[in-house]
Amino acid sequence: MTSRILFVDHSAVLGGGELSLRDISRHYRETSTVLLLSDGPFRELLESEGVRVQIVHAGSSLLTARRDGSGRSVAAAAELAKLTWKLARIAGQFDLLYANSQKAFVVSALAGRLACRPVIWHLRDILSDAHFGHGNIRLVTTLANLCATRVIANSQATASAFIAQRGREAKVRVIHNGIDGAEFARVTESEALEVRHQLGLGNRRLVGVFGRFHPWKGQHVALEVLARLPDAHGLFVGAALFGEEDYAAHVRRRARELGLEHRVHFLGFRRDLPQLMRAVDLVLHTAEAPEPFGRVIVEGMLAARPVVAARAGGALEIVREGVTGLLVPPGDVDAFAAAVAGLLADPARRAALGAAAYERASREFSLDAMLRGVADEIAAVAGNRPK
Ligand code: UDP
Ligand code: GLC
């Protein structure tokens, strides 16, 4: 029997976690619903693909609770109680809860208890001081140990951080993101050339930096790298999704200070990443803190482009160093510049790495493999549900 799943996410923007949930939830759309704690483009995307969506607005103090936990005021506690109660009533119509973000997990863990429904937490963050406050980490690991039936980690790096924070290892399964390669395979040479044409780039060397703007994603590092490569252009694709507009403005300002405005192109958030990735010579990923997984790394590989990434987090599990791309110590601008310059000067090597990257990404990070992994966990959890 197909399980009725209530997927829960606090966010309705198009982040990597949400795009991955889109792939999972549409597979279960006949029987399941995605419950969002805010409204936005993610709802529209899901509905356009026939996924049922329900919005239950979380109060603002819950959604904006600060990383050090100090935002968890009395108001937030009252909102949490109200939301938990609402969610528990809805959860009664489903077989299990599947939380896709930390905030969603906190509410789902409590609601699952009230409604006697098992909870899967798809953990997509590295729980470390670089990203989260101590209180926050304690809260979610304690709730996971008490209330989650399974914790699906998006990488070994994410799983290890959870376990290092005393999350229970027996609950953890690692399932890498799988990405649909079809959209990448469909891109034609002329579409990629058109991107270059519109930017007036001809056959200039072009480095692509893809991802939402955030200080830990390290767009500022990528700028410094480009400043050391006078012949290269840079394509920056992505926007601030979670309120980091000041950082995005800082990066643009820094580009001007470095005199890069004529060779750095900020395109904002785009939905045509396959075409854009096929237009660049290589993908640069300069995260300063470990990337939990890094979908854009796999996507660059599906576009048959070598990826030069920071040697940390999920990138270590995705990139085969020297075979599909290059890894560089995080934040080491000189080492990044040397790696990128070497590849830009060597088309044959780029082609060889790109071909190996494509092969590895399609084999190891397929959508089917991810869906099979998730289905196994759902079956195991639903099968154990107390009657
Ligand atoms: N993305 C997009 N448009 C953009 C920038 C990013 O559609 O302008 C997508 C990208 O294709 C990827 C996701 O956003 O699937 C980002 O996921 P990733 O795991 O790299 O990072 P996250 O934002 O989840 O930390
Ligand atoms: C999160 C992480 C990112 C990961 C994505 C999908 O947003 O920041 O590294 O790829 O989730 O699991």
Side-chain angles (χ1 to χ4, degrees), residues 10-48:
H10 78 282
S11 163
V13 301
L14 298 179
E18 286 66 40
L19 292 172
S20 175
L21 179 60
R22 182 264 307 253
D23 290 336
I24 297 170
S25 63
R26 72 178 162 190
H27 192 68
Y28 295 92
R29 66 185 154 202
E30 300 305 330
T31 54
S32 303
T33 292
V34 176
L35 186 140
L36 301 176
L37 302 183
S38 51
D39 198 358
F42 185 39
R43 173 186 54 80
E44 289 162 28
L45 177 65
L46 290 169
E47 287 180 344
S48 74

Side-chain angles (χ1 to χ4, degrees), residues 274-285:
Q275 287 74 10
L276 297 170
M277 283 180 164
R278 286 290 291 272
V280 304
D281 293 302
L282 62 84
V283 171
L284 177 61
H285 195 69

Side-chain angles (χ1 to χ4, degrees), residues 245-384:
E245 283 77 13
D246 286 353
Y247 174 68
H250 160 78
V251 171
R252 284 168 184 266
R253 210 166 40 242
R254 183 73 187 135
R256 287 194 296 275
E257 280 167 18
L258 290 167
L260 296 176
E261 60 269 48
H262 302 301
R263 54 189 185 92
V264 164
H265 314 270
F266 292 103
L267 303 192
F269 188 87
R270 298 276 292 240
R271 293 292 290 145
D272 55 346
L273 256 62
Q275 287 74 10
L276 297 170
M277 283 180 164
R278 286 290 291 272
V280 304
D281 293 302
L282 62 84
V283 171
L284 177 61
H285 195 69
T286 50
E288 281 199 310
E291 177 73 56
F293 178 74
R295 290 168 60 88
V296 291
I297 301 174
V298 175
E299 291 165 351
M301 293 164 72
L302 286 171
R305 293 297 174 261
V307 181
V308 180
R311 187 183 288 123
L316 291 168
E317 295 160 52
I318 303 172
V319 175
R320 283 279 164 271
E321 198 162 357
V323 179
T324 71
L326 302 177
L327 296 174
V328 169
D332 188 338
V333 173
D334 290 332
F336 268 113
V340 172
L343 284 181
L344 289 182
D346 191 345
R349 181 139 199 256
R350 287 205 307 277
L353 293 176
Y358 174 77
E359 211 268 319
R360 176 169 166 73
S362 3
R363 199 186 53 233
E364 299 292 329
F365 301 98
S366 72
L367 194 53
D368 279 356
M370 177 184 73
L371 291 174
R372 270 197 309 275
V374 169
D376 286 349
E377 297 316 317
I378 287 174
V381 168
N384 284 337

Side-chain angles (χ1 to χ4, degrees), residues 65 86 106 126 149 161 178 180 240 263 270 325 329-330 333 338:
K86 272 192 205 160
V106 172
I126 289 185
T149 309
D180 186 0
R263 54 189 185 92
R270 298 276 292 240
V333 173

